[in-house]
Each structure stands twice: as structure tokens, then as C-alpha cells.
Amino acid sequence: MLTGGGYPFRRDALSGWCRTLVEGLRRFRFDLRTVTDREPPSVPAYPLPFNVGSADAVQVGRNPGRERRRGDSNESGRGAAHLLCRGLLEESRFATGLRGLAEIAADRPDPLTNVPLADLLMDAWRGAGSADELTLPRLGTRDARTAATLLKHALGALAVSLPESDLVHCVGGTTPLLTALAGRWRTGVPLLLTEARAPVARQRPAEERLSPAVRAVLRRFRAAVARTGYAEAGLIAPLSAYHHGWALRHGAAANKLVQVPAGVDPSEYPVTAEPNTEHPAVVWAGSGGPDSGLTALLAAFEQVKATLPGTVLHLVGVTAAHEDHCAEQIERTGLGRAVRMHPLPADPHDRYTVGHVVAHVPGPADPPYRLIEAMMSGRAVVGVDVGPAAETLGDAGVLVQPDDPAELAIAIVGLLRGVNRRRQLGDAARHRALTHFTNDRVVRVYGALYADLTGPPPAPASAFELALTIPAPRTSPPASLLWLNREEL
């Protein structure tokens, strides 16, 4: 299992999902590798079950290739990089260039040594067709160098090796997918891709200071990597209809897609009585980072507190890396002690118990794990209609439009004042989560997907068309049809 800086070294919603899968599929042996831009943690954050053979974290670009071989012009790297850069504008070239770099990375830590990547980017931009010229921002020398540095760092993931296995299950975004693609091209191992987020989200908060040209290069690069992953994967498992539609729009083949909604363990999120506190309380679960939905939530809560003085907002799951950012945002609002930060509780039982209402205000590409947890906890949920929130919540909560703090505040105040309605919605949310979003369903389906991809290839269709005197027995449909047709999965 390949992730991007998560399980088993980091506690977050996606890591919890991975843990459910690993611990639920005890008949499979897992080697866990997480590829990250940050300093790798020294020890796992979760205890490892007996079916985990190894677990390690690799930091991309920690020691970037500094090899300088005298007389090494690296023509193969230059040719592959040329195709990759052209592929940012002409889709058909990208995969060939990326594969060429992956093959070189198997033998040398930096496949781009002595390759003038900035010049190749500028050449590709100059050669853009008339349609692209109308939409592409100008890429100057300085921007090309910045983009080349960022691309070179990202492509370091191609040099990360993978343990010998029968299947690579890639969970996450661009970085782990690059490692998974390189492993597939080197060994031919089947690839299962789980769409945990929309793969080409708006630029990341840390990239807001970059020029439009650099952001355009990064956006096209991520889109091209996603399309290449869709083409190489044996199966793609989006978490929702929203992710399913996104994959189709970005080139995934419909016959590879198997929608597997996220799930949680009902026993970890039992229904508990509302807190017996003097003042009403709202819970929001998230990292607290710049792209976590926090800004919109605080804007709405200012209005909630003005209407219901004394209301407390609990921010659950704020990571150590984002504590300062979170505290700065709270200070700007002047809300003071009305907002309280909590790290992610080790025991999921305690995650939503401090609130009367849960506000689900996700980032633009967040998966629906936290929403499902809140629903399973039996708390009334006010959700913002972003990504798969609408299809996940259904009519078991209140859904409001994004970018409208006033509407969000009105919905929260309405539930804080309406005891009977919020309890009815809490019961409905719990029922919906039990019906559609339990982890036993996730484990069963992924067990079938693993078996399908690692099993022997099906016999050619022509073998069943022979005219025999005694009809040959028909085999059972392959697993890839069984789990598409069986409603209980």
C-alpha cells in the first residue's frame, strides 16, 4: 500500500481509512510505504497488525541527485524530459516522457542530471498551438526556472523503490502516484488506484505566491500525472459519484471504475447524550490548515456568536503543523475563548461528543471521511455543498451553499435552537451512515478488488465459442463482474 505522507505514520481521516482496510483484510500481507515531502517520522502512529510485513516513510528530494559525471550529457534524460514538457501541452507525449524518466531513475537517483529543464519548458511553451496560446500565461526565464525546480523535486518520487509485491494499491495524490507508476513500469505489477481526493484541485495554499505561469505548469503536470495513472491502473476506486465523475472527465475508462464509498466502524462512533452544558457548542473536525475550510467556518461562527452569545466552537483534530495558522486566524476574528482547539483524540468515541451540532466545512478537495464520522456519531450535521457532501449527507442533515457564511450561520443557529429537529436529524444521520457507510462493506469490496487484480487473467472469450458435441461447463463470472452486480457489497 502506497500513500502520500499518511498511514501508518500520521493520524488523520485518510490514515484511519487505510488502517481499516489493512486490519480488515488479514488474509493479505501488506508492505506499507508512504512518500512525503516532509521529514519522515521515526515511528508509526498506529500499532501495526501481524499482516504488515514492513512499514517505512521516504522523503522525496531529501538528498537530491548531485551527481555530476564528467562528460555526461544525459541525452536519454534530456529526450525524456523534452517529451514530458511537450506533454504538458500535448497529452499524447507526456506518458512516454514520464516513463522514460522512470526507467532512468531506476539506475540513477536523479534522472534529470545535466538536463536543462527550464529551457525545455520554455521551448514547449513557445511551441504551443494557437488554442493554448490564448489561455497560457507567459512563461519567462525566471518562472521557467522556478517551475523546473518544483517539477524536478516532484519527479524525485520516480526514484523511490517499492517492495516486491503482487499488487500496488496507491492511495492519494500526485506524489505516491508517481512512485506507483514507476514501480508498475519497472515490474509490471498491477495497480489499484483509490481516488481519495479530486486529483487536480485548485492551487494549494502554499502556491498562492507563485506566478500564474508557474501555477499553470504545476496544474497541467498534476492533470497529466492523473491521466497517466488512470491509463495504467487496472482498476480505479473512487469514493463517491463526485470522484467518479471527476475521473471520467479527466480520461478514466468507465470499465475500470468501481465506486466504493468510504466507511467507518459504528462501534468507534457510538451515539452519546448531548453535552449538559450551559452554552450551546459546535464541533468542526479538520486539520486547521490554510486549505481546510477553517476561514469560512470562522466567518460563519462570528455571526453565530453574535446571535447566540456564549456559543463555543470546538476545532477537533488541529495538527501540530497548523496550530500557529489556526491560532492566527482565530485572533483575527476576535473570538478569543469562544473557539477552542483540540488535537485529534486517540479514541474516536470522543471526537464529536463535545458539541450539539457538527459543522462540516471541508476544504475544496477533502474526502468525506469526517462527514461520515459525524453522521455515525448521531449528531445533527450542517454541511457545505462541496465535493461529495450532498450525496453523502442526503436528507439526513442541512446542506448550505459554499461561500455564504450567513447561510451557514443561520443553519447552525436553527439547529442549536431547535432541540427536537437536531435530534431527529442526528438519528437520521446515524441510520444513513449505518445503511451506506460501514467499513465492513469497504473491506469486502476491496478484498474482491485485490483478488481480481492478483488472480490469473480470464480465458479468452473465443474459448467459449467453440462448437462442441458436449457443451463445456461455463466458469463463474470473474470477480470484476461479481462485485459490480452483488447489491450486498
Side-chain angles (χ1 to χ4, degrees), residues 28-42:
F28 293 93
R29 178 184 180 276
F30 286 85
D31 290 298
L32 307 176
R33 178 152 295 180
T34 186
V35 187
T36 177
D37 291 327
R38 292 168 290 185
E39 182 72 22
S42 56

Side-chain angles (χ1 to χ4, degrees), residues 59-413:
Q59 185 177 12
V60 174
R62 183 173 187 175
N63 294 305
R66 299 182 183 278
E67 50 181 341
R68 296 290 177 185
R69 305 176 186 177
R70 188 179 299 275
D72 179 12
S73 59
N74 195 7
E75 288 301 321
S76 57
R78 183 186 182 109
H82 168 74
L83 290 173
L84 182 138
C85 291
R86 295 293 300 178
L88 298 179
L89 304 169
E90 304 172 30
E91 293 181 11
S92 59
R93 297 173 180 255
F94 182 85
T96 304
L98 186 65
R99 183 165 187 167
L101 292 176
E103 292 171 352
I104 299 170
D107 299 321
R108 56 194 305 174
D110 181 9
L112 292 168
T113 297
N114 298 331
V115 173
L117 190 58
D119 294 340
L120 295 177
L121 276 173
M122 293 182 67
D123 289 343
W125 240 244
R126 293 190 192 104
S130 56
D132 283 318
E133 286 179 350
L134 298 176
T135 58
L136 286 176
R138 179 183 176 276
L139 184 68
T141 302
R142 182 176 179 179
D143 286 341
R145 289 174 179 169
T146 300
T149 299
L150 295 172
L151 288 187
K152 186 174 182 178
H153 177 78
L155 290 166
L158 296 174
V160 177
S161 62
L162 293 177
E164 185 177 345
S165 63
D166 299 311
L167 170 70
V168 172
H169 181 185
C170 179
V171 184
T174 303
T175 300
L177 181 53
L178 285 167
T179 299
L181 286 169
R184 167 152 178 76
W185 287 326
R186 289 169 193 155
T187 65
V189 65
L191 172 61
L192 170 61
L193 179 58
T194 290
E195 285 290 80
R197 301 172 173 264
V200 195
R202 69 183 184 184
Q203 75 265 11
R204 298 166 187 175
E207 298 168 359
E208 290 178 353
R209 297 178 182 177
L210 298 175
S211 72
V214 176
R215 294 201 301 266
V217 171
L218 296 178
R219 185 169 58 250
R220 285 172 174 261
F221 174 73
R222 290 171 186 146
V225 172
R227 286 194 300 269
T228 306
Y230 292 149
E232 292 291 336
L235 288 171
I236 306 160
L239 289 172
S240 65
Y242 168 79
H243 292 91
H244 187 283
W246 184 283
L248 284 176
R249 291 193 300 274
H250 288 81
N255 61 357
K256 290 184 178 182
L257 291 164
V258 184
Q259 186 176 319
V260 189
V264 301
D265 183 351
S267 67
E268 291 190 343
Y269 299 94
V271 177
T272 58
E274 292 185 346
N276 185 19
T277 57
E278 179 183 356
H279 300 293
V282 180
V283 172
W284 173 83
S287 69
D291 207 25
S292 65
L294 176 64
T295 301
L297 173 71
L298 293 177
F301 187 68
E302 287 184 81
Q303 300 181 45
V304 171
K305 191 172 183 298
T307 304
L308 295 176
T311 304
V312 177
L313 172 63
H314 296 276
L315 307 178
V316 178
V318 176
T319 62
H322 293 137
E323 283 182 358
D324 291 343
H325 170 80
C326 197
E328 180 183 342
Q329 295 296 310
I330 295 170
E331 185 177 355
R332 286 181 182 178
T333 63
L335 291 169
R337 287 287 299 165
V339 182
R340 299 169 190 176
M341 291 190 293
H342 308 270
L344 194 67
D347 188 347
H349 291 71
D350 302 327
R351 196 160 294 168
Y352 302 95
T353 56
V354 293
H356 299 88
V357 171
V358 174
H360 178 69
V361 188
D366 283 352
Y369 304 113
R370 293 292 185 232
L371 175 56
I372 294 171
E373 291 173 359
M375 293 168 62
M376 191 67 77
S377 298
R379 288 294 192 261
V381 178
V382 176
V384 175
D385 190 3
V386 174
E391 62 180 282
T392 304
L393 189 58
D395 58 359
V398 179
L399 200 68
V400 301
Q401 293 304 305
D403 302 319
D404 192 342
E407 185 181 2
L408 177 59
I410 290 170
I412 293 173
V413 169

Side-chain angles (χ1 to χ4, degrees), residues 255 258 452 476-486 489:
N255 61 357
V258 184
D452 189 32
S476 301
S480 56
L481 294 180
L482 282 175
W483 40 253
L484 285 176
N485 294 331
R486 288 173 57 188
L489 292 180

